[in-house]
Amino acid sequence: MFLKFSLRSVFNGAGGGNDIQWCFSQVKGAVDDDVAEADIISTVEFNHSGELLATGDKGGRVVIFQQEQENKIQSHSRGEYNVYSTFQSHEPEFDYLKSLEIEEKINKIRWLPQKNAAQFLLSTNDKTIKLWKISERDKRPEGYNLKEEDGRYRDPTTVTTLRVPVFRPMDLMVEASPRRIFANAHTYHINSISINSDYETYLSADDLRINLWHLEITDRSFNIVDIKPANMEELTEVITAAEFHPNSCNTFVYSSSKGTIRLCDMRASALCDRHSKLFEEPEDPSNRSFFSEIISSISDVKFSHSGRYMMTRDYLSVKIWDLNMENRPVETYQVHEYLRSKLCSLYENDCIFDKFECCWNGSDRSHENVTTSQSHPF
Amino acid sequence: MMLSKGLKRKREEEEEEKEALAVDAWWLEPGHPAVAQAPPAVASSSLFDLSVLKLHHSLRQSEPDLRHLVLVVNTLRRIQASMAPAAALPPAPSPPTAPGIADNLLASSDAALSASMASLLEDLSHIEGLSQAPQPLVDEGPPGRPSGAAPPSLGALDLLGPATGCLLDDGLEGLFEDIDTSMYDSEFWAPVSEGHKSSPEDGPGKEEAPELDEAELDYLMDVLVGTQALERPPGPGR
C-alpha cells in the first residue's frame, strides 16, 4: 500500500494573498516500485470531521486510518494517522451470463454523517454498493452464570449462586460489518456515489445511467438519468461523475466526457434526462487540438459546502463554477499546463485518459487538489 | 468455460505497442512554430493509425471501458475529418467524397471501424437487452421509473449470479438461446459431405474438407488478410 498524506498543488487562496505551502506530512506504506497490484490504492475519502480517512484498493479492501486524539486540540495539528480498521469490502465476482469477471477494485467510498457511536460508509466497485458499519468495542461482559469464561456451557445443576454479569474493559476492537448490499442495478461501471442531504437516499452513477436508492431498501432503485442512446452506435458521450447538492435534496449534478455539467431537479420530472442547467465553457480556439475533447473530459465534480459553487477537474485544470452562471467558470486553475505540449505522447501511452479527483477545504475559501490517477495512484 | 475473456489489458502489451509505433509528432515538439499557433488542420497518418489501434484494442476487451472507447472514437472521427481531402473547403462535418487511394483506404477502414464499433456496441446493448427480462413486479408507488436494471428485470443475471446461487429451470433455456455460440457453430465442424468422417478434434476443417467450396475459402482468406492488415502496425516511412 502506498499512501502519501500530502497535497501537491499550490494555490493562492481565493480570499487571501498568502501562498500556501504544502508538504508531506506522513507517508504510509511502501515507498518503492515493488507494490503488489492488489495494494494499489484506488480511492481515498476523509469523513466529515477529518478524524477518519478511508482508503480503498484494487484488492477490494478498505483501510481506515484514525487521527491521533491527543493532537486534535491544537489548531495547526499534524496529528498522526494510524490504522484503525481493515476489512475486505468486495470480492471478485464472476458474471456467468456475460462470462466476465467483476473486479473487486473499490471505485469510491463515501462516509455517512455520524448519527451515533458507530460510523457508516458506502463503498462501491464496478457493480455493487455496500453499506458498512464500523463500530468500536472496548468492553465485554464477564460473569455469566451458564457459561464459562472460555465459552463452554456449564452444567446448570452445578450452579449454586447467581451473579449479575458486568462489563469490563478490554482492548479496543474495531469491527466492520456489512449492513446493506445494493446490487444488480448497474449494467455499466459505477463511477460515483453521493449521499443526499436528506440522509435517507443516495445516488449511484455509471457510464450511462444514474440511480436513486434509499439506504434502507436494497431490492429496488429508481433510475433518474438515462443517456443511453436507442442505437449504441450513436453513443458519443458518457457520464463521468455525479453529486447531490449539499443543501437541496432535490438537486444533483452530473458531468460528462465532453466537459459539460448538467444540473437536474428531481421535482421537475421523474426522469431527469432534461437538465435544468447546462454548464459548459466554449472551447478556446487557440488551444484547439485533436485531443481537446479528451482533456476536456471531467473526471470529478464537487459542490462547495455552501452549495453556491462547484469545482470540476479535467485533465489539465480545475475550474470553479458559480451555479448562477452557466456559460463559463468564475475561476480556472491550470494544474499542469506544461503537459499541454506533450498531449500526443500522453495519448500514445494512454496517460491522457487518467482521472483525477478534487475537493474543497473546510472553509471553502481555497481549494485543495488531491490527485489520484487511474493508473498511477498518488 | 471462457474464463480468459475476463483478462484485462496487460502492461506488456502496452509496451509492445509503444515500440511498434513510431508516432510522428513533429508538429507537437516544443519550439516548433506550429506549437505556438493553431494546430495543423491535417493529422499525421501515424496518429490515425495509433487511434485505430487503440480503438481495436478497446473493442477487443471483454468489457470495454466505455469512456475510453467513446473518447477514442470521437478523436478518431476528428482525425478522419481532417485527413479527408478538402483543400479549398473549410473543415466540413463529413469528409467530402473524392477519388484517390488514400480516400479508399480511409473509406474501407472507416467501414471496418464502423462495422466493428457498431457490432460491439450492438453486442453491449444486446447483452443488456438480454438482462431486461419481463419484470414481475412493477412499482406503483412514488412517480419515477423503477430502474430497468433493478433486480426484477435483472432476474436473469440474478439467477446465475453467485450471490443467489439458485437456478430456476424455466429461466435457463431462454437465456442460452440468445448467447452467441457462433464460435462453436462453425460450418467446418459439420460433416460437409457423405463419407467425410472428420470429427471436431481433427484440427482445422479447411485441411480436412477438400469438398469445401473454393469460393468460400477465398472469401475466408480475404477476411483474414483484411483483419490482419488493419491490425498490422504501420511500416516505416508511412
Side-chain angles (χ1 to χ4, degrees), chain A residues 96 184 223 288 293 347 350, chain B residues 39 54 74 128 145 149 160:
Chain A
Y96 295 99
N184 297 329
N223 177 242
R288 202 165 182 275
E293 182 176 321
Y347 178 67
D350 267 351
Chain B
K54 281 193 187 296
N74 291 349
E128 194 207 310
R145 201 171 72 192
L160 296 180

Side-chain angles (χ1 to χ4, degrees), chain A residues 51-52 63-66 82-86 111 117 119 134-136 172 174:
Chain A
E51 181 202 348
L52 298 174
V63 180
I64 302 175
F65 296 87
Q66 183 188 43
N82 300 310
V83 177
Y84 177 68
S85 173
T86 303
W111 291 91
Q119 300 278 356
I134 297 106
S135 48
E136 290 184 1
L172 178 67
V174 181

Side-chain angles (χ1 to χ4, degrees), chain A residues 97-98 184-188 206 209 211 223 226 228, chain B residues 124-136 145-158 175 178:
Chain A
L97 191 62
K98 298 188 207 175
N184 297 329
H186 285 279
T187 309
Y188 305 101
D206 66 30
R209 298 193 175 100
N211 293 332
N223 177 242
D226 188 340
K228 180 172 183 265
Chain B
L124 282 177
S125 61
H126 173 73
I127 285 171
E128 194 207 310
L130 179 67
S131 61
Q132 285 184 353
Q135 307 178 24
R145 201 171 72 192
S147 168
S153 72
L154 277 185
L157 253 183
D158 223 353
L175 290 176
D178 293 312

Side-chain angles (χ1 to χ4, degrees), chain A residues 58-168:
Chain A
K58 272 190 160 188
R61 276 168 313 200
V62 170
V63 180
I64 302 175
F65 296 87
Q66 183 188 43
Q67 194 174 29
E68 273 175 4
Q69 311 287 338
E70 306 88 79
N71 291 354
K72 278 171 67 179
I73 308 162
Q74 300 159 358
S75 55
H76 297 289
S77 70
R78 285 197 197 172
E80 288 259 316
Y81 281 81
N82 300 310
V83 177
Y84 177 68
S85 173
T86 303
F87 58 92
Q88 188 74 34
S89 172
H90 287 71
E91 298 275 3
E93 281 179 31
F94 197 75
D95 180 341
Y96 295 99
L97 191 62
K98 298 188 207 175
S99 201
L100 289 174
E101 198 177 271
I102 300 171
E103 271 188 356
E104 66 275 31
K105 172 171 74 86
I106 309 293
N107 293 339
K108 278 285 161 19
I109 292 173
R110 287 289 181 264
W111 291 91
L112 265 68
Q114 191 173 11
K115 281 196 250 183
N116 51 39
Q119 300 278 356
F120 287 86
L121 60 79
L122 285 175
S123 72
T124 185
N125 68 350
D126 283 338
K127 302 283 185 178
T128 305
I129 307 137
K130 295 188 183 182
L131 176 69
W132 287 89
K133 176 181 178 182
I134 297 106
S135 48
E136 290 184 1
R137 195 195 293 219
D138 59 357
K139 295 186 266 290
R140 66 189 171 117
E142 280 178 26
Y144 283 110
N145 292 292
L146 293 175
K147 263 201 299 191
E148 304 284 359
E149 290 308 322
D150 59 9
R152 282 179 304 139
Y153 280 96
R154 272 194 202 163
D155 180 359
T157 56
T158 63
V159 176
T160 52
T161 59
L162 290 177
R163 54 187 172 160
V164 176
V166 292
F167 277 101
R168 297 215 188 280

